[in-house]
C-alpha cells in the first residue's frame, strides 16, 4: 500500500474495531483498518472464530480496506499516522480516527514470576491457539476475573490437566457479582463453570512464589485465611485483570482518566475527530466493546441518530462492567508479594530494591532503566501502577518498536 488517505481510519481489528469499521462504511465512508496482528479478531477471536469471520465478510462487502501485520507507531503530523509492516512503512492520512487498541494483561511480580513457563493467562491461551501442545500438562491458573475461567475451559478442552483456578477476589465478592449479573450473563457463567466440573475454583487465593531449577516446577499459593501450600505444575498462567492500551491515544493528546481514554456520549475523545471504543476506554468485556465500536463507527460516519439508538444497550453493558470492576478489585495483600530481589522490570533486570529509592516512574526510568527495555513498560507499568501508585507521565514515539528507517522518513 502506498501513502493513502481515508475518510475513517480504525486502529485495532478486535471486536470494537471490526464493528466500528463496518458501521462507518455503512455510512458511505471510505474506511481502512490497521492492526499489528497477522489476522483480524483481536485478543478474543484471533482470526479463528465464526464471529470475526462474519464481521470480516461484512466489512469486505462494504469495501473496507485491511492492513494486518501493521504497527501504528507514530503520528508525525496532525491527522496522519506512521505505519510499519514487514514490507515497508507508510503514512496514512485520515479525516476521522477510531482508536480500538484494546487491552493487555496485568502481571504482578512475585518471587519466581520470571521463570520459564510462568506466563499470562491469555498469553498461554494464545500460545496454545498457535499450536503450543498443552495436552497432559499440569496447569495452575491464577489471578483475577472471568478470563481465568475462559482460559481454564480452553485448556481443559485441549487436554490440559488444570489443577486449580486461584481467584484472588473473595467468595462474597464473586457471589455478589454473580447475583447481580443479567440472566444471560449468569447463564453464560453457569455453563462455563459446569464445563469446568472437577476443577477446583478457589476464591480468596493467590500465588506467592514460583519454584523451579531451570523452569517452573511448582507454585506456592496462599488463601485469605492464611493457609499456604505448594502445587506441582508445568505451567502457571497468571492474569490480574487487564490494562487498556493507551499509548497511541496519549500520543495524540487525548485526555486519559483512571479507567482509560475519556470519551463523550458519541465515543469522541477530547481530541476533535478522534474517537475511541472498546477496552481502550475501560475494561468492560466483549459486548461493551462491540456496541462502543458501533457507536464510534456511526458517529465518525456522520450518522448521529443510529449512534444514539445504541446508547441504552451501551448503558446496560457499562453497568455490568462497573460490577465486574468492583467484584474483581485487587486485594491489598498482593502489594506484599515482591521481595527486595524480585524483578519489577524483567526486560532490564530491575529489582524492587533498586526502584525503592525512586519516588515516581520518571525517576525510576532515569536512574534504573525500569520500563526502558523492549516492552517499553507494557509489563512493569501495570504492576508499578498497582504496587507503587506510579503512572507514566509522558509517551514518546515510537509507541511500538519500529525500524530506524521508518522513523527517519
Ligand atoms: C491476552 C488476552 C486474552 C483474552 N482472552 C479472552 C477470552 O478468551 N475470552 C473473553 O471473553 N475475553 C478475552 N479477553 C478480553 C477481550 O479481549 C475483550 O473483552 C474485548 O474483546 C476487547 O475488544 P477490543 O476490540 O477492545 O480490543 P482487542 O481485541 O484487544 O483488539 C485490539 C487490537 O488492536 C491492536 N493494536 C493495538 N495497538 C495497536 C497499534 N499501535 N498498531 C496496530 N494495532 C494495534 C491489537 O494488537 C489488537 O489486535 C482477552 C484479553 C486479553 C488481553
Amino acid at each position: 500500500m502506498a501513502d493513502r488517505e481515508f475518510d475513517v481510519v480504525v486502529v485495532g481489528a478486535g471486536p470494537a474495531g471490526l464493528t466500528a469499521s463496518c458501521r462507518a462504511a455503512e455510512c458511505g465512508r471510505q474506511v481502512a483498518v490497521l492492526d499489528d496482528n497477522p489476522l483480524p479478531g483481536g485478543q478474543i477471536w484471533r482470526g479463528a472464530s465464526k464471529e470475526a469471520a462474519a464481521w470480516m465478510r461484512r466489512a469486505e462487502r462494504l469495501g473496507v480496506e485491511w492492513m494486518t501485520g501493521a504497527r501504528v507507531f507514530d503520528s508525525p503530523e496532525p491527522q496522519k499516522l506512521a505505519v510499519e509492516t514487514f514490507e515497508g512503512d507508510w503514512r496514512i492520512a485520515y479525516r476521522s480516527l477510531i482508536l480500538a487498541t484494546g487491552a493487555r494483561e496485568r502481571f504482578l511480580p512475585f518471587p519466581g514470576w520470571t521463570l520459564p513457563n510462568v506466563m499470562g493467562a491469555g498469553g498461554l491461551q494464545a500460545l496454545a491457539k498457535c499450536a503450543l501442545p498443552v495436552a497432559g500438562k499440569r496447569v495452575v491458573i491464577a489471578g483475577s476475573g472471568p478470563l481465568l475461567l475462559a482460559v481454564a475451559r480452553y485448556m481443559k478442552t485441549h487436554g490440559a490437566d488444570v489443577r486449580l483456578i486461584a481467584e484472588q477476589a473473595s467468595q462474597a465478592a464473586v457471589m455478589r457479582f454473580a447475583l447481580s449479573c443479567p440472566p444471560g450473563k449468569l447463564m453464560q457463567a453457569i455453563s462455563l463453570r459446569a464445563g469446568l466440573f472437577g476443577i477446583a475454583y478457589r476464591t480468596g487465593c493467590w500465588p506467592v512464589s514460583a519454584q523451579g531449577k531451570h523452569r517452573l516446577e511448582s507454585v506456592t499459593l496462599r488463601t485469605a485465611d492464611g493457609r499456604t501450600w505448594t502445587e506441582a505444575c508445568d505451567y502457571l498462567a497468571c492474569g490480574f485483570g487487564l490494562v487498556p492500551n493507551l499509548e497511541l491515544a496519549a500520543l495524540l493528546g487525548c485526555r486519559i482518566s483512571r479507567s482509560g481514554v475519556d470519551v463523550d456520549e458519541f465515543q469522541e475523545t477530547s481530541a476533535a475527530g478522534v474517537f475511541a471504543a472498546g477496552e481502550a476506554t475501560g475494561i468492560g468485556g466483549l459486548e461493551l466493546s462491540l456496541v462502543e465500536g458501533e457507536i464510534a463507527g456511526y458517529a465518525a460516519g456522520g450518522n448521529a441518530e443510529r449512534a444514539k439508538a445504541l446508547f441504552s444497550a451501551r448503558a446496560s453493558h457499562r453497568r455490568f462492567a462497573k460490577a465486574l470492576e468492583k467484584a474483581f478489585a485487587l486485594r491489598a495483600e498482593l502489594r506484599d508479594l515482591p521481595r527486595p530481589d524480585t524483578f519489577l522490570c524483567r526486560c532490564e533486570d530491575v529489582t524492587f530494591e533498586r526502584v525503592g529509592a525512586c519516588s515516581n516512574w520518571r525517576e525510576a526510568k532515569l536512574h534504573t532503566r525500569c520500563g526502558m527495555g523492549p516492552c517499553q513498560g507494557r509489563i512493569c507499568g501495570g504492576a508499578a501502577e498497582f504496587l507503587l501508585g506510579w503512572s507514566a507521565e509522558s509517551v514518546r514515539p515510537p509507541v511500538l518498536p519500529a525500524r530506524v528507517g521508518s522513523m527517519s522518513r
Side-chain angles (χ1 to χ4, degrees):
M1 198 190 270
D3 287 357
R4 295 280 303 274
E5 186 175 339
F6 294 88
D7 296 327
V8 179
V9 169
V10 181
V11 182
L18 286 171
T19 55
S21 59
C22 288
R23 296 312 185 205
E26 281 171 20
C27 299
R29 301 291 184 258
Q30 201 196 357
V31 180
V33 185
L34 314 172
D35 192 291
D36 57 346
N37 279 303
L39 291 171
Q43 299 289 357
I44 180 169
W45 290 334
R46 288 192 174 270
S49 93
K50 280 195 219 128
E51 293 100 316
W55 281 105
M56 284 287 297
R57 279 195 300 275
R58 182 182 294 195
E60 271 157 22
R61 276 199 305 273
L62 290 161
V64 172
E65 290 196 35
W66 294 92
M67 213 173 161
T68 48
R71 286 185 298 274
V72 179
F73 64 89
D74 193 8
S75 171
E77 49 187 287
Q79 296 190 292
K80 212 171 246 191
L81 298 173
V83 182
E84 184 186 271
T85 66
F86 279 123
E87 290 84 38
D89 66 284
W90 293 274
R91 301 295 179 260
I92 308 284
Y94 58 83
R95 291 206 174 85
S96 301
L97 176 67
I98 302 177
L99 299 173
T101 49
R104 54 182 178 263
E105 293 185 273
R106 188 194 298 273
F107 296 89
L108 292 184
F110 48 83
W113 77 289
T114 53
L115 274 171
N117 291 354
V118 179
M119 52 181 89
L124 178 61
Q125 179 176 247
L127 285 175
K129 284 183 183 174
C130 299
L132 175 82
V134 292
K137 299 289 182 194
R138 297 162 304 170
V139 180
V140 171
I141 299 172
S144 202
L147 180 59
L148 303 186
L149 296 178
V151 173
R153 174 76 163 262
Y154 187 88
M155 290 297 134
K156 186 181 174 200
T157 316
H158 288 78
D161 172 11
V162 181
R163 290 294 172 99
L164 171 70
I165 306 165
E167 166 58 64
Q168 61 84 41
S170 68
Q171 185 176 22
V174 174
M175 286 308 290
R176 265 197 309 275
F177 170 70
L179 294 174
S180 74
C181 280
K185 286 273 177 201
L186 187 58
M187 287 314 292
Q188 249 180 35
I190 291 171
S191 115
L192 191 57
R193 188 66 192 100
L196 294 170
F197 183 74
I199 297 174
Y201 178 68
R202 272 183 204 274
T203 47
C205 178
W206 59 92
V208 289
S209 63
Q211 296 78 224
K213 199 161 176 216
H214 302 295
R215 58 165 50 87
L216 176 74
E217 288 166 19
S218 64
V219 52
T220 301
L221 298 124
R222 180 173 300 155
T223 52
D225 58 13
R227 193 164 94 80
T228 300
W229 78 103
T230 296
E231 288 275 346
C233 57
D234 302 302
Y235 288 107
L236 171 59
C238 283
F240 291 89
L242 302 176
V243 189
N245 291 323
L246 302 174
E247 292 77 12
L248 192 54
L251 190 72
L252 291 161
C254 305
R255 195 173 50 241
I256 309 250
S257 67
R258 196 186 61 84
S259 51
V261 185
D262 264 356
V263 287
D264 69 9
E265 58 180 356
F266 289 101
Q267 301 291 138
E268 190 165 7
T269 70
S270 61
V274 179
F275 297 77
E279 308 244 272
T281 67
I283 306 308
L286 174 63
E287 285 83 359
L288 184 58
S289 295
L290 290 168
V291 74
E292 284 190 357
E294 291 191 84
I295 293 172
Y298 280 133
N303 194 334
E305 286 314 306
R306 283 284 184 97
K308 277 186 193 161
L310 295 165
F311 285 1
S312 72
R314 179 182 59 192
S316 109
H317 294 311
R318 278 191 178 157
R319 280 194 293 280
F320 173 74
K322 278 256 165 286
L324 194 77
E325 186 187 351
K326 193 169 163 207
F328 296 101
L330 298 182
R331 60 174 61 231
E333 289 98 314
L334 299 173
R335 295 202 172 88
D336 302 329
L337 292 181
R339 294 194 198 126
D341 62 351
T342 305
F343 289 128
L344 169 60
C345 170
R346 63 187 301 168
C347 299
E348 295 287 328
D349 287 359
V350 181
T351 60
F352 274 85
E353 192 168 30
R354 286 185 60 210
V355 294
C358 305
S359 53
N360 57 45
W361 184 242
R362 186 177 157 73
E363 225 177 279
K365 278 177 100 166
L366 286 172
H367 293 298
T368 67
R369 289 196 51 81
C370 182
M372 306 271 278
C375 93
Q376 287 289 293
R378 280 181 171 72
I379 294 175
C380 56
E385 187 190 21
F386 172 71
L387 296 170
L388 305 164
W390 294 351
S391 53
E393 284 152 26
S394 63
V395 175
R396 285 195 208 159
V399 295
L400 288 176
R403 293 185 289 269
V404 173
S406 307
M407 291 192 291
S408 58
R409 188 135 76 110

